[in-house]
Amino acid sequence: MSIPLSEALKFWAKLGFISFGGPAGQIAVLHQELVEKRRWISERRFLHALNYCMLLPGPEAQQLVTYIGWLMHRSWGGILAGTLFVLPSLLILIALSWIYLTFGQVPWIAAIFFGIKPAVVAIVLHAAVRIGKRTIHNNALKWIALASFLAIFILNLAFPIIVMIAAAIGYWGGKRYPEYFEQTSHANSKEKNYGSAIIDDNTPTPLHAQFNLQRTIRHSAITLTCWLLPIAVLITIFGWKTLYPQIAWFFTKAALLTFGGAYAVLPYVYQGAVDHFHWLSANQMIDGLALGETTPGPLIMVVAFVGYLAGHIQHLIGSSNPFWFGVLGACVATWFTFLPSFFFILVGGPLIESTHGKLGFTAPLTAITAAVVGVIANLGLFFAYHVFLPSGLGASISWISIIICGLAGLALFKFQKGVMTVLGGSALAGLLVYLITVLMG
């Protein structure tokens, strides 16, 4: 028995519009739909694919969708599944980015963003705690997380270097002290029997998912062409040292060098987009993350917001319609961010299908995930600084922002409220503060 491609595509398209809640929420929806309800894939095969996707740089939820689509319906099944997961988010974020730049200075809209920013701080810190609880289950992993935090907070060490060191520690530790590096995040929970699945625990790996050197070379050549051709066109039209080739090259590096999902990618994107290229401000970056949290699809789609702002703002003067320059920036950022994800699945997938349950594969991932917790905690503190001290260290503290952040944290940690609920409540709080200010003034 197999699922027709047309039926699978209907589900992938629907998923692109309903996948809210960041990576954790999206993976939970995928598990519920594919493992529990539809029985397209077994629990063990699903988790094995997830482990690989978590090890990769880039958005793990999108890569998991691509992996399962590829496993079920060959290369085109994976490409279409991964694309449909991203496309709705890209279109929505382009529209929201235009609204943000066009109407963002309107007082009541500015008030909404004022309320949302502290909630983003709480959401990022909550993500660090949530991932930490799930993955840090012994002192060795706690030390890795702490060392990672100190390395990026005090030494400003580049995130890819932290990941490589953590992976090396995990690889060595998996051989020397395997009990400290066994994954317990999913595998430790009691496996439920949901009945037989189409791709079951013992289902043989399909022919297209087995390693084939010719196919690997072909997929690699196609990916390289899909990278070289657009960048060559951008250089020909605009010139090498102009905005769009810079966006293409920067987000290629971001896609290849950043591990641990969207929250871990953000410090790298901030460092380049805000500090180095000055495409947008720190506060605009926080607003972009808030918009990314409120739209379906991968959280890393904040890159579309960055690309749109870079193109729109650069062509604001001397152009009759900067909107289309913003759209081009968003599309370029998205293309070069996600292209490597498809390559990793189509080329790496066949190798991974032969690694079921091997500690040598999972131990580096365990150490990397612990390191990512430290990096995400640092990102939360970084956002907190910009939100609570909007004018810098010597200026006044925004006590209202601290109160909103505290209430958002209470809603997330104590009352287990969803991200959308917290963001909605914080937006209303921002509006309320604005109305009170107007009435009193």
Side-chain angles (χ1 to χ4, degrees):
M1 180 187 170
S2 62
I3 300 296
L5 179 60
S6 57
E7 185 182 332
L9 290 180
K10 283 179 190 173
F11 171 72
W12 300 130
K14 172 191 167 188
L15 185 69
F17 285 98
I18 64 167
S19 55
F20 291 91
Q26 290 154 4
I27 290 165
V29 168
L30 276 170
H31 186 275
Q32 189 178 38
E33 288 286 338
L34 300 184
V35 176
E36 298 175 31
K37 267 174 71 176
R38 299 170 190 263
R39 303 299 296 135
W40 286 3
I41 187 168
S42 72
E43 168 105 341
R44 206 169 284 176
R45 294 290 280 268
F46 178 90
L47 294 177
H48 185 69
L50 174 59
N51 284 343
Y52 173 54
C53 296
M54 286 181 70
L55 183 62
L56 295 173
E60 63 265 37
Q62 187 265 350
Q63 288 164 341
L64 182 59
V65 166
T66 306
Y67 192 107
I68 295 170
W70 161 77
L71 204 56
M72 292 175 64
H73 295 110
R74 309 172 68 88
S75 300
W76 274 111
I79 290 167
L80 291 170
T83 302
L84 287 170
F85 187 66
V86 168
L87 197 57
S89 181
L90 172 62
L91 299 175
I92 293 167
L93 266 172
I94 286 172
L96 289 176
S97 300
W98 176 80
I99 292 168
Y100 173 79
L101 280 183
T102 309
F103 301 105
Q105 299 307 312
V106 175
W108 67 270
I109 292 181
I112 288 174
F113 279 103
F114 174 82
I116 283 175
K117 282 190 181 89
V120 170
V121 174
I123 288 165
V124 173
L125 292 173
H126 181 252
V129 172
R130 191 180 65 240
I131 295 169
K133 280 183 177 176
R134 199 175 70 232
T135 57
I136 298 176
H137 46 83
N138 59 57
N139 286 332
L141 297 178
K142 285 177 185 175
W143 280 110
I144 291 172
L146 179 61
S148 165
F149 173 79
L150 294 174
I152 199 164
F153 184 76
I154 296 174
L155 303 177
N156 201 24
L157 199 64
F159 182 63
I161 295 172
I162 293 172
V163 167
M164 285 188 279
I165 293 170
I169 292 169
Y171 181 77
W172 172 79
K175 289 179 176 297
R176 191 79 185 267
Y177 306 103
E179 68 276 12
Y180 288 107
F181 292 90
E182 289 175 345
Q183 281 193 323
T184 62
S185 54
H186 296 287
N188 231 23
S189 58
K190 291 180 182 176
E191 269 187 35
K192 294 181 181 177
N193 185 8
Y194 298 105
S196 60
I198 293 165
I199 301 174
D200 216 340
D201 290 351
N202 300 315
T203 303
T205 302
L207 196 62
H208 72 270
Q210 294 172 13
F211 180 76
N212 178 287
L213 183 60
Q214 286 183 325
R215 193 188 302 121
T216 299
I217 293 169
R218 186 170 68 249
H219 284 154
S220 301
I222 291 169
T223 306
L224 187 61
T225 304
C226 289
W227 183 82
L228 279 174
L229 198 59
I231 210 166
V233 170
L234 292 171
I235 292 168
T236 303
I237 295 171
F238 299 102
W240 169 240
K241 290 190 175 179
T242 56
L243 175 67
Y244 298 107
Q246 283 181 341
I247 290 175
W249 179 236
F250 174 70
F251 283 110
T252 296
K253 289 188 292 181
L256 292 171
L257 297 177
T258 47
F259 296 78
Y263 287 109
V265 176
L266 286 170
Y268 184 82
V269 173
Y270 171 86
Q271 197 174 37
V274 178
D275 286 343
H276 183 68
F277 291 110
H278 308 293
W279 290 334
L280 68 171
S281 70
N283 278 317
Q284 285 173 329
M285 187 72 192
I286 299 170
D287 291 338
L289 180 57
L291 290 176
E293 290 275 15
T294 56
T295 54
L299 182 57
I300 194 56
M301 281 305 296
V302 70
V303 303
F305 176 84
V306 173
Y308 182 92
L309 259 65
H312 186 115
I313 291 169
Q314 188 166 105
H315 294 88
L316 206 52
I317 300 167
S319 171
S320 57
N321 195 348
F323 171 77
W324 293 110
F325 290 101
V327 170
L328 178 60
C331 292
V332 169
T334 304
W335 177 271
F336 287 94
T337 297
F338 285 95
L339 183 63
S341 294
F342 291 101
F343 170 76
F344 290 136
I345 300 304
L346 298 181
V347 172
L351 298 171
I352 298 310
E353 277 298 299
S354 63
T355 61
H356 293 289
K358 293 184 180 176
L359 186 63
F361 171 75
T362 58
L365 169 62
T366 304
I368 288 171
T369 310
V372 163
V373 172
V375 174
I376 297 171
N378 173 71
L379 181 71
L381 291 181
F382 160 79
F383 280 169
Y385 170 80
H386 282 280
V387 173
F388 302 155
L389 297 162
S391 302
L393 272 175
S396 59
I397 298 170
S398 175
W399 290 106
I400 295 171
S401 295
I402 291 174
I403 291 167
I404 293 173
C405 180
L407 292 172
L410 199 65
L412 288 164
F413 285 97
K414 185 169 176 62
F415 298 106
Q416 308 291 309
K417 296 296 180 183
V419 167
M420 295 294 287
T421 305
V422 171
L423 286 171
S426 301
L428 285 173
L431 272 175
L432 188 63
V433 170
Y434 167 68
L435 290 172
I436 291 169
T437 307
V438 170
L439 290 172
M440 289 176 66

